[in-house]
Amino acid sequence: MIEIEGLDRPGLLSEVTGALSDLSLDIASAHITTFGEKVIDTFYVTDLTGQKIDSPTRTATIHKRLIDTLEGNAPERNGKAKAAAAE
C-alpha cells in the first residue's frame, strides 16, 4: 500500500500514476480523495507478476521516486515535459 498526502496541483495524479508505471508497479486498487487543496491518495500495488514488494532496496527506490514526483522533481517521461513545467 502506498499513501500519498500533499497539496494538489494540475497533473499530480497523472504524474504519480506515471511514476508507478515507470517503476513497473501494477495498481490493483486506488482510492483518490481531495479535500480542497489537499490530496490523500492510496494505491494498492504489486509488482508486474502480482507479488508484494518485499525488497528494502526496491521499496527505497519507489519512495525516492514518489518523493521526487511530489516535489516536482521527477524526470521527464517518454520525452514529454511534466504537466507543471508546461505551464
Side-chain angles (χ1 to χ4, degrees):
M1 179 185 82
I2 297 172
E3 184 173 276
I4 295 177
E5 292 186 39
L7 294 178
D8 198 9
R9 67 172 186 267
L12 178 62
L13 182 59
S14 175
E15 290 175 23
V16 169
T17 56
L20 295 174
S21 175
D22 290 348
L23 291 162
S24 298
L25 297 174
D26 186 31
I27 301 171
S29 177
H31 303 273
I32 310 304
T33 308
T34 305
F35 299 102
E37 295 179 348
K38 184 176 181 179
V39 296
I40 302 174
D41 299 339
T42 306
F43 300 90
Y44 295 88
V45 300
T46 61
D47 67 15
L48 294 180
T49 63
Q51 300 300 308
K52 180 179 175 180
I53 310 300
D54 288 325
S55 164
T57 303
R58 181 117 157 89
T59 302
T61 299
I62 294 166
H63 184 262
K64 181 182 181 332
R65 176 65 185 273
L66 291 173
I67 293 295
D68 287 345
T69 299
L70 289 173
E71 292 176 347
N73 299 323
E76 292 182 5
R77 300 188 68 233
N78 302 324
K80 298 177 183 175
K82 297 179 294 185
E87 295 181 39

